[in-house]
Amino acid sequence: MKQLQPSATVPVSLAHLAVELGLAPAPAAGVVDGSAASAALGDVTVTGVTVASDEAVPGDLFVGVPGFRAHGARFAAAAVEAGAVAVVTDEAGLEHVGGLDVPVLLTADPRRVAGLLADVVYGAPSDDLVTVAVTGTNGKTTTTYFVDAALRAGLGPVALLGTVEIRLGEVSLESPRTTLEAPALHRVLAAAREGGVAALVTEASSQGIALHRLSGVRFDVVVFTNLQRDHLDFHHTMEEYFAAKASIFDPAQAARGVVVVDDEWGARLARTSPIPVTTVSTHVGDASEAAVAADWRVLQADIGLDGVGSTFQLRGPDGAVHEAHSPLPGLVNVTNAATAIATAVASGVAVDVAIDAVASASAIPGRMERVVERGHGLPLCIVDYAHTPDALVYALEAVRPITPGRLVAVLGSDGDRDQGKRPMLGEIAARLADVVVVTDENPRSEEPGAIRAAILEGARQVRPDLADVVEVTTSRADALRRAVGMAGEGDTVIVTGKGHEPTQEIAGVFHRYNDRDVYREVARAAGVPVAGDR
């Protein structure tokens, strides 16, 4: 992330920051009264903000935030050694910052304050760009790429932040998480402004929202795609999960919203949002009150086969009906395309420009990505990120119409995450695919066999004899090779769960791994050239 910084920022007095955000000098700083505090802090100027000690540069203000495993203040000394000129933390962090030769300031909520500090230090960069945030369980990444295409066509250069990559101009980095930490987000905004970028589109995860990673950013448009079972290890209940996502629809954070009303949660948000919202209905024939009253509505859809995407009719708020196209297969991508068009229009792009740009959007890494085409004795090989029950249904239903032979599904489930969805994934795969290969995803600290067993338990509900259900215990790469090896040219192999991810986490170790690379390896071994080969 050090690559994505503005070349210069106007220094801000630490005393000014303390007054603006109500930061108090820590007792350990040796300050005895308010006037002395102001004098001491006034001698320090800040040119950046970070919560990551390994990203600290001279002039930074380091914010030590509480973490799930360790308090960030433990790394304050490293940040100071790298050039941080002051530290902000909470009472719990004080025990880790004794003896530092820089001012230490206290706040009750360092996570929230980190973004507010960055907004001031970097000069309120979100006010100078068109900013869009997309939240929801499924569809965030695809929708942001579609919105990116539309905004580029209508407004100019766009910065894109999300699960797959952090992209600014010619620089693209592997994304460390779906939603950047707040200071990093403000830094990218400032760099984008400096580089003449017109707009920024970011994914907004529920955890990111709950952990204040969007703090201090003011969005022109916030988007809600759907709410389906996921992240209950973090949010515990669907109500809590919904509340986290809905909280971004706040007048202090966003000017207006776009809400897909295809599920009960979207319909509810549309009714209760404290900011103006544009509604989108994408389920053809939906007679619900929310769908009938939607501003944008998909009236008809033709799902294309074998890579031609889908065409659909989209009625706009003025009653005009537009012919639109999704470049990716499946009804779910009609939803993503329609949502992106409505979002682009809400952001100031002409509707015809938005429709044409979405229709010609390029392939999205790990989202219904066709890695090896059918032929030369090999099956069609697809990678998709689907890792929730609903997303897996959408993925398998999308590829069934383009599969003349058998549909082979390869899947696992994340460790240290919602355990309840594992048998659900197994049941769905066994019901919708002809052959199921159960393997590992990111076991993390869990025993991989226990995760696979839970998936197999769900599969047994559909296929008690486990016919055509295979467990591969060696490696995910072996599972994928085996799946392709048992498939014929008329078959389709789809591997789900990891999508674009460049690593696999096992017992705390991140191993370089990507499903696409295994597909390509198998194709090359069969003498079949793949994209990028010469």
Side-chain angles (χ1 to χ4, degrees):
M1 289 300 301
K2 286 185 177 181
Q3 300 97 314
L4 301 181
Q5 299 214 41
S7 61
T9 58
V10 177
V12 179
S13 161
L14 184 61
H16 173 72
L17 293 173
V19 171
E20 281 285 301
L21 295 168
L23 308 177
V31 177
V32 294
D33 60 52
S35 59
S38 295
L41 301 182
D43 294 336
V44 178
T45 56
V46 174
T47 53
V49 182
T50 185
V51 297
S53 61
D54 58 351
E55 293 182 4
V57 297
D60 272 357
L61 172 60
F62 175 74
V63 184
V65 302
F68 295 112
R69 296 184 178 87
H71 201 293
R74 292 179 57 185
F75 306 98
V80 171
E81 185 176 352
V85 296
V87 173
V88 172
T89 190
D90 56 12
E91 291 282 354
L94 274 184
E95 64 178 282
H96 303 294
V97 297
L100 293 180
D101 191 26
V102 298
V104 176
L105 299 172
L106 282 177
T107 180
D109 191 350
R111 282 195 174 276
R112 184 183 68 85
V113 165
L116 302 177
L117 285 165
D119 181 53
V120 176
V121 171
Y122 294 113
S126 63
D127 292 347
D128 298 322
L129 285 78
V130 173
T131 49
V132 177
V134 181
T135 195
T137 306
N138 293 319
K140 292 190 299 296
T141 300
T142 300
T143 300
T144 57
Y145 271 84
F146 285 167
V147 171
D148 167 66
L151 296 188
R152 277 188 285 115
L155 302 180
V158 177
L160 178 67
L161 289 70
T163 305
V164 175
E165 63 178 327
I166 307 299
R167 174 164 37 88
L168 178 60
E170 298 301 313
V171 178
S172 177
L173 306 175
E174 288 182 4
S175 178
R177 57 180 56 86
T178 298
T179 306
L180 290 180
E181 294 286 359
L185 175 54
H186 285 274
R187 277 203 306 275
V188 173
L189 279 161
R193 176 180 59 189
E194 183 179 83
V197 169
L200 176 139
V201 184
T202 183
E203 294 181 49
S205 69
S206 57
Q207 297 101 317
I209 297 170
L211 295 173
H212 300 297
R213 290 177 186 157
L214 301 176
S215 175
V217 180
R218 290 164 291 280
F219 290 100
D220 293 288
V221 183
V222 291
V223 184
F224 178 90
T225 61
N226 53 68
L227 194 77
Q228 297 156 5
R229 182 182 178 123
D230 200 13
H231 305 305
L232 295 189
D233 54 298
F234 182 88
H235 297 293
H236 307 113
T237 68
M238 291 297 289
E239 284 292 336
E240 185 179 334
Y241 186 20
F242 173 71
K245 289 193 175 295
S247 67
I248 195 176
F249 284 72
D250 182 325
Q253 183 116 61
R256 66 176 303 107
V258 172
V259 178
V260 180
V261 295
D262 291 341
D263 63 25
E264 60 177 302
W265 305 101
R268 177 172 157 189
L269 179 58
R271 292 193 308 269
T272 60
S273 170
I275 62 173
V277 298
T278 297
T279 54
V280 184
S281 169
T282 71
H283 290 173
V284 176
D286 184 351
S288 68
E289 181 180 348
V292 171
D295 299 300
W296 295 86
R297 190 173 189 191
V298 174
L299 303 177
Q300 183 271 340
D302 292 320
I303 306 305
L305 302 180
D306 250 357
V308 299
S310 304
T311 58
F312 59 99
Q313 291 183 340
L314 181 63
R315 189 196 66 204
D318 61 356
V321 177
H322 307 272
E323 294 293 327
H325 181 80
S326 165
L328 296 178
L331 280 169
V332 66
N333 286 306
V334 170
T335 298
N336 294 334
T339 304
I341 292 166
T343 301
V345 172
S347 304
V349 177
V351 62
D352 291 341
V353 172
I355 288 171
D356 289 346
V358 169
S360 58
S362 58
I364 301 166
R367 270 65 180 174
M368 280 297 164
E369 185 178 1
R370 299 164 70 107
V371 181
V372 178
E373 293 296 331
R374 196 184 311 283
H376 305 283
L378 291 178
L380 172 62
C381 298
I382 294 175
V383 173
D384 192 68
Y385 190 54
H387 60 284
T388 68
D390 291 278
L392 184 60
V393 171
Y394 296 149
L396 297 181
E397 288 183 343
V399 298
R400 174 61 77 180
I402 62 175
T403 304
R406 297 179 304 165
L407 175 55
V408 182
V410 183
L411 75 155
S413 189
D414 272 341
D416 300 333
R417 298 295 186 269
D418 179 11
Q419 297 183 10
K421 71 179 181 180
R422 296 169 186 173
M424 299 168 68
L425 293 171
E427 182 274 326
I428 291 165
R431 176 165 50 86
L432 297 179
D434 299 297
V435 179
V436 178
V437 179
V438 178
T439 185
D440 299 332
E441 195 165 303
N442 294 300
R444 297 190 172 90
S445 68
E446 285 196 61
E447 167 56 43
I451 301 173
R452 294 193 302 268
I455 299 171
L456 290 167
E457 179 184 352
R460 287 191 185 96
Q461 302 304 312
V462 178
R463 299 182 186 173
D465 59 354
L466 289 187
D468 294 321
V469 177
V470 179
E471 179 184 14
V472 176
T473 62
T474 49
S475 71
R476 188 175 177 93
D478 286 344
L480 207 47
R481 295 186 193 102
R482 183 166 178 179
V484 176
M486 68 174 65
E489 189 168 316
D491 299 336
T492 297
V493 177
I494 178 170
V495 58
T496 63
K498 290 185 61 63
H500 66 285
E501 290 180 358
T503 60
Q504 184 180 29
E505 185 181 354
I506 304 172
V509 178
F510 288 86
H511 305 267
R512 296 298 297 185
Y513 172 85
N514 185 272
D515 289 326
R516 292 171 292 182
D517 295 338
V518 180
Y519 275 147
R520 292 170 179 144
E521 168 201 310
V522 171
R524 292 187 188 105
V528 178
V530 297
D533 286 351
R534 293 189 175 183

